[in-house]
Amino acid sequence: MKILKFGGTSVKDAGHIRSMVDILARLRTQESGGFHVVCSAMKGITDQLITIARTAEAGDQSYKAQIEAIGKRQQEAVADLFAPEGLDDRDNQRLTSEVLAALARKMNELRDICHGVFLVRECSLRSLDLVMSFGERLNNYLVARYLDSLGIPSVYVDARALVITDDSHGRGVVQFERTNTRIRDYFSNQVLEGMIAVITGFIGSTEKGITTTLGRNGSDYTASIFGAALGCSDIEIWTDVDGVLEADPRVVPGAQVIDDLSIEEAMEMSYFGAEVLHPSTMLPAVETNIPIWIKNTMNPIVRGTRISRNPSTTRQSRVTGIASIPKVTMINLVGGGLIGSKGIAGKIFGALGRSDANIIMISQASSEHSICVVIREEELTGAKKALQSELAHELRVKQIQNIEITPNLEVVSIIGGGMRGTPGVSGKLFSSLGQAGVNVVAIAQGSSEMNISLVIHSKDHSNALQAIHRGFFAPDAQDVTP
Ligand code: ADP
Ligand code: ASP
Ligand code: MG
């Protein structure tokens, strides 16, 4: 059995949904073990839902028009998919009205919730999760009914009944024991025999049934949760590029597909910003050893990227890929009192943890005169407050002179299993950046030696990525020797 996940661009309108269905119809004739499908919301809908919630929270009535825009997009897809011709076809008409009525019920629920947000002028992360869940719920229902209408028996599955998380809204932590049991119980039901489950990506619920989400891009993760729980042979992530590429193709147009990636490399690529995969996608597959494929819905004949425990590679370069995290800020704690002082690092990380800031990168000068941490821009206010309160004493007695903030930065990472014990890699990285005139603000190397990360100014984004790509991947680039 396989799990196939289709992302927002693969289901963004009726035309794309048809391309997806072509892939499924072909697979049905080939795959004797069967398969199930996970879909995202249509491209852009989750962003729109967030804007709607925030607009309503601000007391601005224009959120209503934005809700209607979402409804219209659904209706257009239904009109195109279910009744392109043959208005006299009674069955089709009945089905169309049924689907439209079910979608309208969901839209009414969304209207009610947003009206509540508007009235109380407040949208907690918990309410935001509920609002965001509609993107996947509307779209997967639509897809399931469309498959059914084509004679491909399908069932809509709301993953909130199966994926159980804690109550960390916005990035729910999956409770695997309960989740796996629920998924296995559900799929052992004989009624599902021969049916394709069309499962909502991205969403789950707490044990008490409160809606949660798995973090942006989380539908990839949903696919691997189901894939692992059901012991699938493969997990396929269908998207709008031919696989995981050496770098973001929007910035580095010459980036090529990486045929095979190890699980660790894929984790590092996604953690350091390659949004083609949610960073947690690999977690369930690590234990189960299920290969994850990245494939292109609009170009299905291309093989794609295979992510597995033991990838077969005949790579020319020791660096596998380049990724970047935009919109980060560096907090630099400076002070002679940091030298040899035990426990300060613990206090710093404790305070940042309590403020809910996610530390992307740490670097400490060997003189111990400064400690620098890199976090996302939006987490700065909370992080700074937490540090000022935790380190009030050290700041007063000047053990720490200052908390310096440098905004408008970006983390760039080079990743590759072949980098271990290869000193020439750093030299080449910095000479590539030097030649391109890019100023490096800070550096860190992970202890796995599978990545080297550095901080640059945001304005150097394209220049830096293109220079690094040229340095390691241009046809005439010389490989570094260990
Ligand atoms: P989906 O809607 O299918 O989930 P996403 O937009 O989340 O797709 O991810 C696919 C996009 O990720 C690609 O269109 C590409 O622009 C971007 N991307 C960034 N880095 C990479 C990379 N290294 N390889 C492939 N795609 C990447
Ligand atoms: N729809 C969600 C998002 O936009 C999840 C996903 O697409 O994977 O983040
Ligand atoms: Mg995605």
Side-chain angles (χ1 to χ4, degrees):
M1 187 191 289
K2 288 183 178 183
I3 290 283
L4 281 74
K5 175 261 170 178
F6 291 86
T9 27
S10 302
V11 287
K12 72 175 178 191
D13 53 28
H16 283 76
I17 292 175
R18 280 201 189 87
S19 302
M20 170 181 78
V21 170
D22 285 347
I23 292 168
L24 300 181
R26 212 170 311 127
L27 189 62
R28 239 162 65 96
T29 63
Q30 299 162 355
E31 183 63 33
S32 55
F35 60 90
H36 297 296
V37 176
V38 171
C39 289
S40 295
M42 288 177 172
K43 174 95 184 157
I45 294 282
T46 310
D47 287 337
Q48 247 172 305
L49 287 164
I50 295 171
T51 309
I52 287 169
R54 294 295 173 219
T55 309
E57 184 183 32
D60 179 346
Q61 301 257 16
S62 69
Y63 80 88
K64 291 182 184 165
Q66 296 173 48
I67 293 182
E68 297 325 307
I70 291 183
K72 190 158 171 267
R73 206 162 147 195
Q74 299 292 329
Q75 283 160 9
E76 279 168 5
V78 172
D80 193 333
L81 292 171
F82 288 86
E85 55 199 87
L87 279 177
D88 55 341
D89 180 347
R90 283 221 174 149
D91 283 348
N92 218 354
Q93 270 186 29
R94 187 184 43 76
L95 183 64
T96 310
S97 359
E98 225 179 88
V99 173
L100 284 173
L103 291 173
R105 278 195 296 278
K106 290 196 202 310
M107 289 302 295
N108 277 338
E109 198 187 327
L110 175 63
R111 279 187 201 97
D112 285 348
I113 294 162
C114 293
H115 182 56
V117 169
F118 174 78
L119 289 179
V120 296
R121 301 282 197 273
E122 201 254 308
C123 185
S124 61
L125 288 178
R126 170 173 160 168
S127 306
L128 188 63
D129 270 351
L130 182 58
V131 172
M132 284 195 289
S133 72
F134 282 89
E136 270 68 12
R137 287 159 60 191
L138 289 161
N139 195 43
N140 280 276
Y141 174 78
L142 175 62
V143 168
R145 297 307 306 263
Y146 178 51
L147 283 169
D148 240 358
S149 76
L150 298 175
I152 304 176
S154 303
V155 55
Y156 164 68
V157 177
D158 186 332
R160 292 178 300 170
L162 307 178
V163 176
I164 305 302
T165 73
D166 70 358
D167 61 0
S168 322
H169 287 283
R171 47 174 135 139
V173 178
V174 176
Q175 313 291 295
F176 274 100
E177 221 169 286
R178 292 195 178 104
T179 299
N180 288 342
T181 308
R182 288 208 189 185
I183 292 176
R184 284 173 196 145
D185 285 353
Y186 179 82
F187 281 90
S188 62
N189 188 337
Q190 297 296 316
V191 181
L192 278 178
E193 197 75 25
M195 306 267 271
I196 296 175
V198 182
I199 307 160
T200 54
F202 183 49
I203 61 177
S205 76
T206 64
E207 191 65 50
K208 289 186 178 154
I210 308 296
T211 301
T212 55
T213 58
L214 305 179
R216 294 304 306 273
N217 259 325
S219 301
D220 302 332
Y221 189 23
T222 304
S224 67
I225 292 167
F226 278 82
L230 297 173
C232 288
S233 61
D234 301 85
I235 296 163
E236 296 183 356
I237 309 288
W238 289 80
T239 183
D240 62 346
V241 280
D242 284 346
V244 179
L245 307 178
E246 293 153 350
D248 187 339
R250 291 166 298 188
V251 188
V252 183
Q256 303 289 310
V257 175
I258 307 167
D259 292 334
D260 286 274
L261 269 175
S262 71
I263 288 177
E264 293 80 11
E265 287 173 324
M267 278 179 169
E268 299 259 331
M269 288 280 289
S270 56
Y271 177 80
F272 283 100
E275 68 196 65
V276 64
L277 267 179
H278 183 289
S280 303
T281 311
M282 274 63 65
L283 290 178
V286 173
E287 283 168 28
T288 48
N289 205 12
I290 302 171
I292 300 173
W293 293 86
I294 315 299
K295 292 168 83 74
N296 191 346
T297 310
M298 302 315 286
N299 194 11
I301 53 166
V302 169
R303 171 187 182 268
T305 298
R306 182 177 194 268
I307 300 168
S308 61
R309 226 187 255 169
N310 301 308
S312 59
T313 72
T314 46
R315 284 187 204 133
Q316 184 227 336
S317 172
R318 277 167 208 286
V319 174
T320 309
I322 309 163
S324 66
I325 308 178
K327 295 188 182 161
V328 301
T329 294
M330 193 167 81
I331 304 177
N332 202 14
L333 295 121
V334 193
L338 287 171
I339 300 173
S341 157
K342 293 201 181 83
I344 290 225
K347 280 181 102 172
I348 294 170
F349 297 128
L352 290 170
R354 282 190 294 282
S355 83
D356 234 13
N358 184 16
I359 301 169
I360 299 169
M361 202 181 118
I362 306 164
S363 109
Q364 177 169 21
S366 51
S367 71
E368 297 184 41
H369 183 71
S370 72
I371 296 179
C372 128
V373 293
V374 177
I375 61 170
R376 289 184 196 276
E377 239 164 53
E378 68 265 22
E379 291 170 345
L380 177 65
T381 313
K384 198 172 161 192
K385 227 192 221 159
L387 285 172
Q388 276 165 340
S389 129
E390 179 76 29
L391 302 171
H393 171 72
E394 287 81 356
L395 284 161
R396 212 170 28 249
V397 300
K398 298 278 182 237
Q399 196 179 359
I400 294 175
Q401 260 112 36
N402 201 2
I403 302 181
E404 288 170 3
I405 308 291
T406 318
N408 302 323
L409 299 173
E410 160 165 331
V411 172
V412 173
S413 305
I414 57 170
I415 291 125
M419 278 163 44
R420 276 195 196 100
T422 313
V425 174
S426 317
K428 191 165 188 173
L429 172 63
F430 293 111
S431 66
S432 304
L433 289 170
Q435 279 161 20
V438 175
N439 182 25
V440 176
V441 182
I443 307 160
Q445 174 163 11
S447 54
S448 68
E449 285 192 49
M450 199 180 277
N451 89 69
I452 302 174
S453 298
L454 42 86
V455 179
I456 60 165
H457 292 282
S458 305
K459 65 176 172 50
D460 291 328
H461 173 65
S462 314
N463 195 8
L465 292 190
Q466 287 163 8
I468 299 172
H469 188 263
R470 254 194 322 275
F472 286 100
F473 296 106
D476 56 348
Q478 298 287 311
D479 189 21
V480 280
T481 41

